[in-house]
Every structure is written in structure tokens, then in C-alpha cells.
Amino acid sequence: TITMREALREAMQEEMRRDENVYLMGEEVAEYNGAYKVSQGMLDEFGEKRVIDTPISELGFTAVAVGSAQNGLRPVLALDQILNTASKMLAMSGGQVGCPIVFRGANGSAGQLGAQHSTAFESYYANIPGLKVISPSNPYDAKGLLKAAIRDDDPVVFMECEVCYGDKGEVPEGEYMLEIGKASVKRTGRDVTIVS
């Protein structure tokens, strides 16, 4: 049983150990261990060439990540420059150039963060052609889906529930991934069954 933040960290660590082309880049992800401590300890393990702190310049470092994804690397980073570059690359290249990139970001109400961090963006991104959108609700799904997102050849927006980072749930110790786009029955009921 681990927390959501631990499940996300394990997914990134396992994928970075498996594939040296995977790297993490964003504001406060290295020295500070991530604003929500999702990337805690990753700088020590992977070094500053694969866990990279950036200035507050999303447009610049996201453009660098998009370019690196088009050249064989697999960046995981914060959200921006998604709408007109990464999402359209496959279509603009006639299916020849993919963009295997994961945009991670906190999402939804976070309590006491008001105007800056209280919007749920899933439906916004889900309406952009070329993007896959994932919003896990528990550590098991978070780890399995983040690993699948990192291995996916298309851009994925991975929305993380800010108030769920401390939620605990069972996660297998061995290798596992969940298929992106395949529904999962979360609770079977007599009158209603919840599927996500």
C-alpha cells in the first residue's frame, strides 16, 4: 500500500531505469523534489542531465522537450505548448513523426490555492485532437497508466488530482501497466456500475 505520489514516482523511476531516453524536466522537479514531492530522490538517482530544473519559462522548455521527443527522447514535463505543436505533429507530418511526450500536471481543486490551482482541465484537453488524456483516481491506476503514457508514441496529458497525492492504495511490486483507453469497472452496483 503506497500513496498516489509514490505510485507516480515509481512509474517514472522504473521507466527511466528501463529506458535511458526518458527524462524529467520542469520547475522544482530536481533540487526541490517536486512541488508535491512526486520526484523526490530522482535527482540523486538519475543526475542533473535526466532530472532537470527549469526556470519559469514553460514555453521555452516545453518547446525543447517537443523537439527532443521528435528526435528519439521521451520527456516527461509540465504542461504548455501542447495545443499547437505536440498534439498536431503526427497529423502535420502525414503520420511520419510521432511525439512521445508526457505532460504531467496537477489538476482540480487543491484547497486554499484559489485562482492559481483550482481548475479541472481534463475536458479541455480531451477536446484537442491528437492528445490522449489520463486522470487517475488511485495509486494503482496512476502507476500503471503513467508507465503506459511514457511508453506511448503519442503525446499524453497526465492530469494528477492535487488532493489525491497522499491517498493510499495497493500497487503490485512487479512490473505492470494499464492499457490506455480501456475502460475499467471501478464499482459494480445493483442499480449503477461506475466505469472509468
Side-chain angles (χ1 to χ4, degrees):
T1 300
I2 60 176
T3 64
M4 177 83 92
R5 74 173 47 88
E6 290 168 325
L8 293 164
R9 182 182 316 123
E10 281 186 9
M12 289 189 292
Q13 287 173 320
E14 289 173 13
E15 290 304 300
M16 289 175 76
R17 290 174 191 140
R18 185 189 68 79
D19 183 350
E20 65 183 19
N21 290 318
V22 177
Y23 70 95
L24 175 65
M25 178 168 56
E27 295 155 13
E28 302 177 337
V29 298
E31 295 283 336
Y32 190 65
N33 292 306
Y36 295 96
K37 304 305 178 211
V38 174
S39 55
Q40 190 168 23
M42 291 179 64
L43 174 62
D44 293 336
E45 179 174 355
F46 299 104
E48 61 187 22
K49 290 189 177 183
R50 293 187 64 205
V51 180
I52 305 163
D53 273 331
T54 64
I56 301 173
S57 58
E58 290 89 351
L59 189 62
F61 72 76
T62 306
V64 168
V66 169
S68 74
Q70 293 167 344
N71 286 286
L73 297 180
R74 291 185 175 268
V76 179
L77 70 160
L79 298 162
D80 206 0
Q81 207 178 15
I82 301 164
L83 309 182
N84 292 312
T85 307
S87 64
K88 296 177 176 73
M89 190 51 55
L90 194 63
M92 288 178 9
S93 68
Q96 295 180 45
V97 179
C99 193
I101 188 169
V102 176
F103 297 97
R104 288 182 49 240
N107 187 51
S109 176
Q112 300 180 344
L113 294 177
Q116 296 298 316
H117 297 282
S118 61
T119 306
F121 291 106
E122 304 97 325
S123 62
Y124 176 75
Y125 290 115
N127 284 290
I128 299 169
L131 294 181
K132 295 178 181 178
V133 180
I134 297 172
S135 184
S137 63
N138 60 70
Y140 176 83
D141 287 353
K143 181 176 179 180
L145 288 167
L146 183 54
K147 288 174 69 68
I150 291 170
R151 294 187 195 188
D152 200 287
D153 288 330
D154 294 314
V156 177
V157 176
F158 201 90
M159 306 305 300
E160 301 166 5
C161 170
E162 290 191 52
V163 295
C164 294
Y165 282 124
D167 289 359
K168 291 186 177 182
E170 292 185 11
V171 173
E173 289 185 11
E175 169 75 13
Y176 80 97
M177 286 194 314
L178 299 177
E179 185 178 339
I180 296 173
K182 183 176 181 182
S184 172
V185 174
K186 295 302 178 190
R187 183 177 294 166
T188 303
R190 187 177 45 144
D191 298 315
V192 176
T193 296
I194 299 175
V195 178
S196 72

